[in-house]
Amino acid sequence: MPNMNPKKNAMPSQPADVRRTNYEEVALGYTEEIALDEAARCLNCKNMPCVSGCPVMIKIPHFIKKITEKDYEGAYRIIADSSSLPAVCGRVCPQETQCEAKCVRGIKGEPVGIGRLERFVADRHNAACDTPPERPAPNGHRVAVVGSGPSGLTCAGDLAKAGYEVTVFEALHTAGGVLVYGIPEFRLPKAIVKKEIENLKALGVKIETNMVIGKSLTVDELLEDGFEAVYIGTGAGLPRFMGIPGENLCGVYSANEFLTRVNLMKAYREGADTPIMHAKRVAVVGGGNVAMDAARCAMRLGAESVSIVYRRGEAELPARAEEVEHAKEEGIVFHLLTNPKEILPDENGNAAKLVCVRMGLGEPDESGRRRPVEIEGSEFELEADCVIMAIGTSPNPLIKSTTEGLECSKWGGIIADENGLTSRAGVYAGGDAVTGAATVILAMGAGKTAAAAIDRMIRSR
Amino acid sequence: MYEIVSKEILNPTVIRMDVKAPYVAKKAQAGQFIILRVDEEGERIPLTVADCDREAGTVRIIFQKVGATTDKLAEKEAGEFISDFAGPLGRPTETEGLKKVAVIGGGVGCAIAYPVAKKLHENGCEVHSVVGFRSRDLVILEDEFRAVSDRYVPMSDDGSWGEKGLVTNALEKLINEGERYDEVIAIGPLVMMKFVAKLTKQYGIKTVVSMNPIMIDGTGMCGGCRLTVGGKMKFACVDGPDFDGHEVDFDEAMKRGAMYKSFEREARECNLLKQEAK
């Protein structure tokens, strides 16, 4: 008999007043007991609607069934068949709009906690398993992957499993892309990313850091060098600014810079070589997951007050509901329907105040969300010695500008077909570099699709 | 890991190192830079390429001890390794078609000005180098500069080397003597570049400056190196580091460059204490 409780088991978490001062993981994960109880809520539907909501098509009811049988390694193998980064996805996927949105249990209650179960299985496997995955027999073909974020790692993993000799080129000094420079430790511990990357290395994937493709080597040089295909998974790394006065004042950061200092460069640690401003009053502009991450990092760095400034309303916040909830619990103030107009300096020329204007919601715009409109005469000042711009990113032009014949859209995204093939033979692309800033799992899905296409292309030669 | 192949102390605070980095050495051109990390806990700092040996696969960097990281780097000896060394980054200095150029170098900025002067010289351009240091004991690259310059004008703040005065005094004198330059390329402290640009603007001479702001990734990702150039936001790492000196907002760049001064001071004192304890 399935467990007919309409509510899913809550995620055990660090209390808000404790966690806002540390970098330990916020969500602690299901215990075995909770996992068994939650797994029993799955109806094991024959038509598996949840799977259609998963960008990498994990056979969700099958792995949950293995949990109910206490065959946790079996459950892990089912997930790992489809996903290269189970412990990562269990944490950062927006399940509420993907697999869980399709769950039948969600019609008359809450869906099965699929993400939480995925995390349980992955963590249990990582804690118990010391034996790295076995390296498959090499098939003699070489493929280059540019960028070691979720998309590149997935593509590399799938190709390595098929016997390809894969080299991943990473511009920074550490592999992982946004998983290491962007998403904070308290949401995704870096030890987990490291473990997933170690697993890929065990499969034979080579990772070359400090290689800025487009500069150190070009895509054409990779092809000349004997790589039979190149996958570009370089993400959307270029930060956007608003273009308002005062944006170049000291104390104003892009979210990318702020998060990179904190996460990749470990500026949150006492005695770190990389400096970060320990501001008193921080204003984060934007309403996405990146804005929530930046705000919660600022809080942990010891700010007296941290606020989110977002031009639309609560319902339009692009961040996951869970992240918004966590941020609120940690004391972050939300100034919704508010838009910055200018940053004012103090007498030393550092950021001091954010001039904002209240917004009303007008007719829906092309995104389907109601267009924010300024309310005349509603300007007010918000004290802020640090302002973080988290209003989105664009693809990096380094590869576009150094790869002849690689077609890109007007906004800079690489143009690729449904298999990830670009306008250049043998060159594939996917993830944020193609779509613009999106989610980890969509980037992984694109890496997976491209890996399959690359495999077909090379086999058919 | 990247090996330091050789090391030379050029003056009490300036050090030269040749680092084995074949990919960078193969591609680097005058005006481009690298990003390095000394060790696993280190910060990322940009340094402009001073020269490279494509055959040997080595890249020359010349740096001044100005903070915790450059102090730490200076302690490394030939045969030792540093964790990371990525590049070449940024756009090369444009030297095509120039017939007569004044290259202005100030202090350790001469390390960056030298490869530009050398490239111009190799292109058959007439090079006048105006080089300034605070005093004689800080002079670097004199022989190298002389070898690629048609005129070499040494200046020092205290008169202990060359003529006493600023590089701007010397440049103005050359212009007044009737020298006509296609372009002035100025590389040195922000305040020097600011005043060179101010001077050349009066004479209507195109002026290129090399900016060296605080950076993390060096690939356009963090935006920490942003500058205002001609009223527009530019990233030094991907749009530069060379910019039109008449368009750069130097005052803003100086403010941004000093953003972590107090942190730097503390980190440095902390390092010195540790060394004394040893």
Side-chain angles (χ1 to χ4, degrees), chain A residues 4 23 40 49 93 98 136 154 156 193 278 355 366 369 371 401 421 430 437 450:
Chain A
M4 292 314 289
Y23 279 84
C93 264
Q98 297 179 162
T154 300
V193 182
H278 291 261
V355 181
E366 62 277 8
R369 298 178 298 180
R371 188 190 297 277
S401 62
L421 182 64

Side-chain angles (χ1 to χ4, degrees), chain A residues 172-173 181 210-212 215-217 221 237-239 241 247-254 256-257 260-261 265 269 272-275 348-349 396, chain B residues 2 23 27 37 41-44 72 84-90 214 216-217 219-222 224 226-228 233 235 252 255-256 259-260 263:
Chain A
L172 293 172
H173 56 265
Y181 76 72
N210 295 324
M211 290 298 284
V212 186
K215 288 285 181 185
S216 312
L217 277 176
E221 284 169 318
L238 226 57
F241 287 89
E247 256 179 329
N248 286 4
L249 290 170
C250 293
V252 184
Y253 289 97
S254 72
N256 261 5
E257 179 181 3
T260 300
R261 282 179 184 273
M265 306 310 296
R269 286 190 200 152
D273 279 0
T274 301
N348 299 317
N396 195 312
Chain B
Y2 300 79
Y23 282 113
K27 292 265 173 94
R37 259 188 353 145
E41 294 302 309
E43 66 175 328
R44 295 170 66 94
K72 200 155 75 172
D84 302 286
F85 197 91
L89 301 166
I214 296 170
I216 307 180
D217 61 295
T219 63
M221 198 188 87
C222 80
R226 62 194 186 274
L227 306 160
T228 302
M233 185 187 286
F235 290 0
E252 179 188 276
K255 266 222 96 46
R256 289 187 64 78
M259 194 162 162
Y260 297 105
F263 180 96

Side-chain angles (χ1 to χ4, degrees), chain A residues 310-331:
Chain A
Y310 180 58
R311 64 194 182 120
R312 300 179 197 250
E314 173 105 29
E316 288 81 21
L317 280 169
R320 294 182 67 191
E322 187 181 311
E323 301 306 324
V324 173
E325 200 52 42
H326 278 152
K328 284 183 177 169
E329 286 167 11
E330 288 168 17

